[in-house]
């Protein structure tokens, strides 16, 4: 997450005005800019915070532990992390709009020091607190109360009142449990118990959310900050314009591509808008886009940057802990929806250009379609070959050099890095043209791409560590960040030597300044995230303390009538409403904590098995709409400040362009193949990817009211029908022929034995839950290899006994598929569902494509006339 967009590496010809400075500072880094010693303390603290996080994430503490240096555990590190965040929150963010911006009042110094002490209390007195678990003394409670109050105030300053109000409501709920309406009442908790639970354990403020911020998120934010400081943001924008600027509405398409690329290094949609929008929005207006639409395109593409793997928003790292899967799996599940969402946005821009008969910008040199296709094909083939050489080459080096392989690989990477800098030195540095100039010529593609290929090395290293070496996200980000530190210190002097400029000493000093700036910017961008994850932990702590999660299940089931669609709409509305005031990360934590288990449970009760990752991605998608949704979408205000348009109208247009992002979560809940769940072959992957992409393009055409020409109402309806069928063909197949037939539950053991190896047994069961209420669920149990039925069921955690013709369950093994599905002891298996042999659902693509062909034929004839 990087907001340093107005320094020497800014992509714009002129720095953004004060309005943009204020929007970004207030949202991300802090609007206070004091001078003198106060400024030095803020900068020094931010710098030291980044160095601490690098130290904590690195293997160094374990290497020097033999010399008596203590290795911090997770809880101690979280305490230090929050202490830094709270201290900087009071210094960098003024209390009110009228508060001084160029000096820090004495009261804020007092709040900062006290808040940092309370947050660091866990670290400072860790051993004493460990000796008295659950039995806090008076000092512990005083520190916890003071820390809670100051944390809520830091939240108000950095993120506004909404998250603070949400946390207060949950705290009031804890204390006022006996006085609540019967449907949400509980026995309540004392001040001592509440503060101990929320502040002195890892169930509340110092829980999983703050742990993810400490271990994962900071390093990725820091990596993005340094990558942008090195000049990668400018490089990505320039490459995007050289590739797409000549097409119809080219600047808008380049804005989409550049926002997707800079989304890799910026976790902030607001900063993304300012970084790319300062250049793209004026150019969009120049080729014919109205001001509102130009800003809306930038907002829609910038917000979607948080969806694009491999570096997603902070909420993606929380999924690792909440869902219990690796970050690689999160990337795998999120990749296809994010990709087709961006492709659809490019298509929407193309449709807007067709509507207004826009043209692209003049490109440099001649171009032929055949030559372009040949170049693209050769480039793709070269990348595939290069990827293969790297993959197999690294494997060979590991086998040949053993323990010394890391040094050999590091030396080879260094040689490649220097060679790429030598390659880039033959071309002038990239500088974006003035977007308001009367004439602008697109840069040459080849020369532009070659000037920054070395920026891809740390990204490749990050992906390699995540995907191939399967290192933890934190350690992967550490090695990528360490490489970025090396690049920041060396790229300028090495390039100066290759160019023979004779200013190596000055370039070394600039490199050191760039590194310091990147470290400070990364830390300042983390203030809001650190505070948000800590405050959201209050909500998580309340759920574990009061058991409100079970109450939410009953409440949501009551108001939705058990209808999964209504429940999903209800969840989406909660996310959108909370998103108007809460940042994406806090919104995700609150809604996922309350609603994700509810959707899984109620869906299972109605016969729909929803994977937990699908629910969390559903919440994540609607959480990112926070920066789009009027009337408070800050990304829309930032874009409007550049375009000169009305921010509300810009937000409405951006939300309209984001309808594809709104539709996707509902689709992959019911068609989990979009998340690559159950996709077992390359052919199946290709079919899913192509059909989903076509479906999303057709959906975009339907919502835009324009396909080959302007669509009539029945044509838009037909296109929506085509899109729905391509996305979920099983819906129509289920209407024609049910997917399952009921088997006799008393024969479940024999049925399990008769199923082929690797089969999944689907069953329904009901019984009393922990509250003594009747509950039911639908479970999918993987049976593994062929064998005796009882053994196959037991491998999935299910032990069956037959009593009076009924199949009853024993207590499922903890962590097994049966336990995760909600089955408990002495439940009755009410139905065993056997899959019906029926035609493949893909046959439904044929009538959908036929209907699409009819619409195309009708519109083609109308266009000809």
């Amino acid at each position: 997450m990087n907001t340093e967009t107005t320094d020497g590496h800014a992509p714009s010809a002129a720095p953004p005005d004060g309005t943009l400075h204020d929007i970004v500072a207030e949202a991300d880094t802090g609007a206070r800019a004091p001078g003198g010693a106060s400024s030095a303390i803020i900068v020094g603290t931010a710098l030291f915070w980044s160095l601490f996080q690098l130290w904590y994430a690195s293997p160094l503490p374990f290497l020097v532990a033999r010399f008596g240096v203590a290795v911090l555990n997770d809880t101690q590190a979280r305490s230090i992390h929050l202490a830094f965040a709270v201290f900087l929150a009071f210094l960098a963010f003024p209390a009110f709009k009228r508060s001084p911006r160029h000096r820090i009042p004495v009261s804020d110094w007092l709040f900062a020091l006290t808040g940092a002490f309370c947050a660091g209390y866990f670290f400072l007195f860790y051993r004493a607190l460990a000796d008295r678990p659950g039995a806090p003394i008076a000092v512990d409670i005083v520190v916890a109360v003071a820390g809670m109050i100051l944390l809520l105030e830091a939240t108000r300053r950095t993120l506004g009142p909404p998250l603070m109000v949400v946390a207060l409501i949950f705290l009031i709920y804890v204390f006022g449990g006996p006085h609540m309406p019967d449907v949400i009442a509980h026995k309540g908790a004392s001040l001592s118990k509440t503060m101990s639970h929320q502040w002195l354990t890892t169930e509340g403020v110092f829980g999983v959310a703050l742990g993810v911020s400490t271990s994962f998120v900071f390093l990725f934010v820091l990596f993005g900050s340094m990558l942008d400081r090195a000049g990668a943001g400018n490089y990505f924008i320039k490459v995007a314009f050289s590739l797409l600027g000549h097409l119809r509405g080219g600047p808008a398409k380049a804005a989409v591509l550049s926002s997707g690329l800079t989304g890799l290094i910026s976790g902030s949609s607001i900063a993304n808008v300012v970084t790319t929008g300062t250049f793209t929005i004026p150019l969009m207006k120049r080729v014919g886009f109205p001001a509102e639409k130009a800003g809306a395109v930038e907002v829609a593409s910038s917000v979607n940057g948080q969806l694009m793997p491999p570096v997603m928003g902070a909420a993606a790292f929380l999924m690792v802990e909440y869902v219990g899967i690796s970050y690689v799996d999160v990337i795998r599940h999120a990749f296809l929806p994010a990709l087709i969402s961006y492709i659809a946005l490019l298509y929407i821009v193309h449709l807007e250009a067709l509507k207004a008969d826009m043209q692209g910008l003049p490109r440099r040199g001649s171009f032929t379609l055949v030559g372009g296709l040949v170049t693209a094909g050769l480039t793709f083939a070269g990348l595939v070959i290069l990827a293969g050489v790297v993959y197999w080459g690294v494997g060979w080096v590991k086998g040949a050099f053993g323990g010394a392989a890391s040094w050999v690989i590091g030396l080879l990477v260094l040689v490649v890095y220097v060679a790429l800098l030598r390659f880039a030195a033959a071309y002038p540095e990239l500088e974006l043209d003035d977007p308001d100039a009367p004439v602008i010529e697109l840069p040459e593609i080849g020369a532009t791409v070659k000037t920054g290929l070395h920026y891809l090395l740390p990204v490749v290293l990050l992906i390699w560590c995540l995907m191939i070496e399967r290192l933890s996200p934190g350690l992967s980000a550490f090695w990528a960040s360490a490489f970025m530190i090396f690049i920041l210190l060396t790229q300028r002097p090495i390039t100066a030597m290759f160019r023979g400029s004779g200013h190596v000493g000055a370039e070394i000093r600039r490199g050191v300044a760039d590194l310091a700036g990147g470290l400070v910017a990364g830390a300042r961008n983390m203030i809001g995230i650190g505070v948000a994850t800590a405050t959201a932990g209050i909500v998580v702590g309340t759920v574990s303390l009061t058991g409100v999660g079970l109450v939410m299940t009953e409440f949501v089931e009551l108001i939705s009538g058990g209808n999964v669609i209504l429940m999903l709409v209800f969840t989406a509305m909660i996310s959108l409403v909370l998103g108007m005031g809460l940042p994406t990360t806090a919104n995700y934590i609150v809604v996922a904590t309350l609603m994700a288990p509810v959707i899984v449970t109620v869906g299972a009760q109605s016969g729909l098995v929803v994977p937990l990752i699908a629910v969390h991605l559903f919440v994540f998608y609607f959480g990112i709409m926070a920066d789009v949704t009027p009337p408070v979408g800050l990304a829309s205000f930032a874009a409007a400040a550049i375009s000169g348009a009305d921010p509300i109208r810009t937000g409405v247009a951006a939300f309209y362009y984001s309808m594809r992002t709104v539709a996707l979560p509902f689709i992959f809940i019911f068609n989990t193949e979009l998340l690559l769940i159950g996709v077992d072959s390359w052919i199946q992957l290709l079919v899913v990817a192509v059909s989903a992409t076509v479906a999303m393009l057709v959906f975009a055409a339907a919502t835009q009211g324009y396909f080959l020409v302007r669509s009539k109402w029945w044509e838009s309806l037909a296109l929506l029908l085509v899109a729905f069928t391509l996305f979920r063909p099983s819906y129509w197949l289920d209407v024609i022929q049910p997917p399952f037939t009921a088997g006799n539950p008393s024969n479940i053991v024999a049925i399990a034995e008769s199923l082929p190896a690797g089969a999944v047994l689907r069953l329904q069961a009901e019984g009393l839950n922990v509250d003594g209420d009747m509950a039911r669920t639908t479970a999918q149990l993987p049976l593994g290899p062929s064998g005796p039925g009882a053994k196959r069921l037991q491998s999935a955690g299910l032990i069956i006994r037959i009593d009076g013709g009924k199949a009853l369950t024993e207590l499922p093994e903890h962590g097994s598929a049966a336990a995760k599905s909600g089955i408990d002891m002495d439940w009755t298996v009410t139905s065993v569902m056997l899959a019906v042999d029926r035609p493949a659902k893909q046959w439904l693509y044929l009538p959908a494509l036929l209907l699409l062909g009819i619409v195309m034929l009708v519109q083609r004839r109308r266009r000809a006339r």
Side-chain angles (χ1 to χ4, degrees), residues 299-341:
V299 170
S301 55
S302 295
V303 169
N304 268 30
Q306 296 183 58
L307 295 174
M308 183 58 71
V311 182
M312 302 164 65
F317 301 103
L318 289 164
M319 289 183 205
V320 174
E321 300 295 329
Y322 287 163
V323 182
I325 61 178
S326 69
Y327 186 64
V328 174
D329 288 329
V330 173
I331 291 174
R332 179 169 59 86
H333 294 313
F335 178 74
L336 184 57
L339 179 63
I340 64 176
S341 181

Side-chain angles (χ1 to χ4, degrees), residues 596-618:
V598 177
I599 295 175
V600 173
T601 301
V602 177
Q605 291 174 357
S606 62
L608 177 66
V609 179
V610 184
L612 189 58
I613 182 63
V615 180
H616 279 262
L617 283 172
F618 181 93

Side-chain angles (χ1 to χ4, degrees), residues 280-306:
T280 60
I281 291 176
L283 282 178
M284 281 189 267
K285 292 171 64 178
R286 229 175 93 182
V287 297
F289 274 87
E292 289 83 5
K293 290 186 177 182
V297 168
E298 182 60 49
V299 170
S301 55
S302 295
V303 169
N304 268 30
Q306 296 183 58

Side-chain angles (χ1 to χ4, degrees), residues 583-730:
T584 303
T585 304
N587 188 11
Y588 165 77
I589 295 172
V590 172
V591 181
T593 301
L594 293 176
M595 298 302 301
V598 177
I599 295 175
V600 173
T601 301
V602 177
Q605 291 174 357
S606 62
L608 177 66
V609 179
V610 184
L612 189 58
I613 182 63
V615 180
H616 279 262
L617 283 172
F618 181 93
V619 174
F620 179 47
Y621 265 66
F622 280 97
I624 70 165
M625 298 301 292
D627 291 329
V628 177
T629 309
V632 290
L634 291 181
S636 300
F637 278 84
I642 301 172
S643 67
D646 178 73
I648 302 299
R649 294 177 64 182
T650 300
V652 171
F655 188 83
Y656 183 56
Y657 289 152
S658 301
M659 286 297 293
R660 74 208 187 285
T661 309
V662 173
L664 267 175
F666 286 96
I667 295 166
F668 61 58
I669 286 287
F670 294 97
N671 181 9
T672 54
E673 286 185 345
L674 284 176
L675 304 180
L676 304 185
I677 297 175
V679 177
D680 303 320
S681 66
W682 283 103
I683 295 177
Q684 188 181 6
L685 173 61
L686 183 63
V687 171
V688 170
V690 173
S691 62
T693 302
V694 173
M696 185 52 71
L697 296 181
V698 172
F699 177 81
T703 54
Q704 291 297 307
Y706 196 100
F707 190 27
L708 302 181
V709 293
R710 293 191 182 277
S711 299
K712 297 181 179 180
W713 67 268
W714 67 266
E715 293 172 337
S716 294
L717 287 178
L719 292 176
L720 287 175
L721 180 61
V722 170
F724 177 80
T725 303
L726 292 177
F727 271 129
R728 197 186 170 198
S730 60

Side-chain angles (χ1 to χ4, degrees), residues 740-766:
F740 300 102
T741 183
N744 188 346
S746 62
N747 295 331
I748 182 173
V749 176
I751 292 173
E753 186 170 343
S754 66
L755 292 176
V760 175
L761 179 65
R762 186 183 179 102
L763 59 85
Q764 290 182 328
E766 64 181 20

Side-chain angles (χ1 to χ4, degrees), residues 735-794:
V735 172
I736 299 171
Q737 183 181 15
F740 300 102
T741 183
N744 188 346
S746 62
N747 295 331
I748 182 173
V749 176
I751 292 173
E753 186 170 343
S754 66
L755 292 176
V760 175
L761 179 65
R762 186 183 179 102
L763 59 85
Q764 290 182 328
E766 64 181 20
L768 299 179
N769 60 22
V770 292
D771 294 330
D773 299 325
M774 183 61 68
R776 62 184 182 277
T777 188
T778 301
Q780 291 191 125
L781 306 181
L783 296 180
S786 300
K791 185 177 180 180
R792 300 185 76 186
L793 290 172
Q794 188 173 355

